[in-house]
Amino acid sequence: MSRVYNFSAGPAVLPEEVLKAAAEEMLDYKGTGMSVMEMSHRSKAFEEIINEAEADLRELMGIPDNYKVLFLQGGASTQFAMIPMNLMKNRVADYIITGQWAKKAAAEAEKYGKVNRIASSADKTFSYIPDCSDLPISEDADYVYICENNTIYGTKYKTLPDTKGKLLVSDVSSCFLSEPVDVTKYGIIYGGVQKNIGPAGTVIVIIREDLITEDVLPGTPTMLTYKTHADAKSLYNTPPAYGIYICGKVFKWLKSMGGLEVMKERNEKKAKLLYDFLDQSTLFKGTVVPEDRSLMNVPFVTGNADLDAKFVKEAKAAGLENLKGHRTVGGMRASIYNAMPYKGVEALVAFMKKFEEENL
């Protein structure tokens, strides 16, 4: 069977070159006579894999020396607890609510201290990013938290909030490595890799060194303390070894493509093709205000639930997979991550045109 165009929000499409390279090494990684899946995380071969992955990520993102890169487990959702456990010294934090994941992160943080929801776009089903130029930042807040790209709702911060000197913590799960980023603007920038970088089961945390201390909330488990993992170079326990190996391959692929500037151009070109069609379509419409649209996740609707269901079904038959939208938005959603080729978006738009002609 030939490969489909996979528009899943995550686990999501991976570069074909990476999958082929991994397949070739599946039974014998570089003459070791074993798969990376079977390899000791204490072996020299794996030490090279994780060190090279970190070096390539540092190069791609321009990560300064005073930031640690941690490869952890538990997905982004474990970070919802780990962040307050490690950072909430005053037991106060400010959260900006732009979707389900920021909402869940705020609810989790409330177990450890006071959470101020200082801005929200819940009033319009998270279809926009609130104005963050003059926020009521709490004087005693330990940090300000955002989810930078909202996978479900298709919104993205184009300008980071003015935190008035407070630490910024950002979940970038669904826009990780999609464009250049200034790491120095963040205290912590983190994300689950299953959307834009690798297989589910790995989370990457990039954290400023001065935030890694033994001064954590009482009762914080050893495994949920950043210092534990920073001191052990992500090898305190068995890490998600195969996931890290695939991430490393994706970093190499990104470098071979020309890095994050080139990825941004590619992503803008793909997104423009889809958004331009939506803007002139008589049947489909996008759900996000144009100025806050994501390059990665594009939700759209026909306004008729039966027609939406018909579209998803017929698209699947045409080799366009996983286009059903999240239940809170309805309709459809096309996730067009780094590894989605331009041809995939062309195929989607061509199918949408045909569907529109047949169903108007």
Side-chain angles (χ1 to χ4, degrees), residues 60 252-263:
L60 279 165
K252 290 256 183 271
W253 175 77
L254 285 166
K255 281 171 68 176
S256 75
M257 298 297 284
L260 302 191
E261 283 287 355
V262 173
M263 289 320 293

Side-chain angles (χ1 to χ4, degrees), residues 29-283:
Y29 176 75
K30 292 191 174 176
T32 58
M34 64 180 108
S35 170
V36 175
M37 260 185 221
E38 308 166 289
M39 195 177 277
S40 164
H41 61 296
R42 305 287 178 204
S43 66
K44 192 169 176 355
F46 186 73
E47 188 185 359
E48 278 172 14
I49 287 169
I50 194 168
N51 288 347
E52 209 166 300
E54 180 180 332
D56 286 338
L57 180 62
R58 283 185 176 276
E59 188 184 326
L60 279 165
M61 291 181 75
I63 300 171
D65 291 344
N66 66 324
Y67 282 75
K68 294 276 191 203
V69 174
L70 308 176
F71 294 96
L72 307 177
Q73 293 170 350
S77 297
T78 298
Q79 293 305 309
F80 298 168
M82 206 162 168
I83 286 156
M85 282 176 167
N86 285 263
L87 299 189
M88 243 192 199
K89 318 292 187 197
N90 298 324
R91 304 261 184 168
V92 181
D94 288 352
Y95 279 67
I96 300 168
I97 312 299
T98 52
Q100 299 287 87
W101 301 112
K103 209 168 147 183
K104 286 183 176 177
E108 190 70 14
E110 264 174 335
K111 294 177 180 176
Y112 307 102
K114 185 179 181 220
V115 168
N116 300 307
R117 292 165 178 80
I118 55 171
S120 172
S121 52
D123 61 329
K124 292 183 180 169
T125 325
F126 302 118
S127 58
Y128 69 102
I129 298 289
D131 179 7
C132 296
S133 59
D134 187 19
L135 294 163
I137 305 284
S138 314
E139 218 157 284
D140 52 353
D142 291 300
Y143 59 87
V144 176
Y145 182 101
I146 63 169
C147 180
E148 203 160 317
N149 186 87
N150 297 283
T151 323
I152 293 171
Y153 302 97
T155 58
K156 163 82 164 67
Y157 286 80
K158 301 296 164 70
T159 308
L160 291 176
D162 179 359
T163 63
K164 299 180 181 173
K166 296 288 182 188
L167 200 66
L168 180 63
V169 175
S170 180
D171 173 357
V172 295
S173 296
S174 54
C175 59
F176 222 155
L177 300 181
S178 62
E179 58 186 339
V181 59
D182 180 357
V183 175
T184 64
K185 289 182 175 171
Y186 307 84
I188 294 179
I189 180 169
Y190 80 91
V193 305
Q194 73 278 8
K195 298 173 184 298
N196 216 17
I197 305 174
T202 306
V203 62
I204 296 171
V205 176
I206 300 160
I207 176 170
R208 214 171 62 208
E209 269 178 349
D210 60 298
L211 303 175
I212 303 168
T213 67
E214 282 166 357
D215 176 23
V216 296
L217 295 190
T220 298
T222 306
M223 274 294 288
L224 296 186
T225 303
Y226 288 124
K227 195 172 190 319
T228 300
H229 300 287
D231 288 352
K233 297 187 173 172
S234 301
L235 295 170
Y236 172 75
N237 68 326
T238 309
Y242 197 78
I244 293 166
Y245 157 74
I246 299 289
C247 289
K249 287 216 171 302
V250 172
F251 301 155
K252 290 256 183 271
W253 175 77
L254 285 166
K255 281 171 68 176
S256 75
M257 298 297 284
L260 302 191
E261 283 287 355
V262 173
M263 289 320 293
K264 185 184 185 195
E265 284 167 27
R266 277 169 52 106
N267 290 328
E268 283 174 341
K269 194 179 166 202
K270 284 186 297 189
K272 185 178 185 322
L273 181 65
L274 185 46
Y275 285 125
D276 281 355
F277 172 72
L278 286 171
D279 288 344
Q280 62 80 53
S281 171
T282 41
L283 179 61

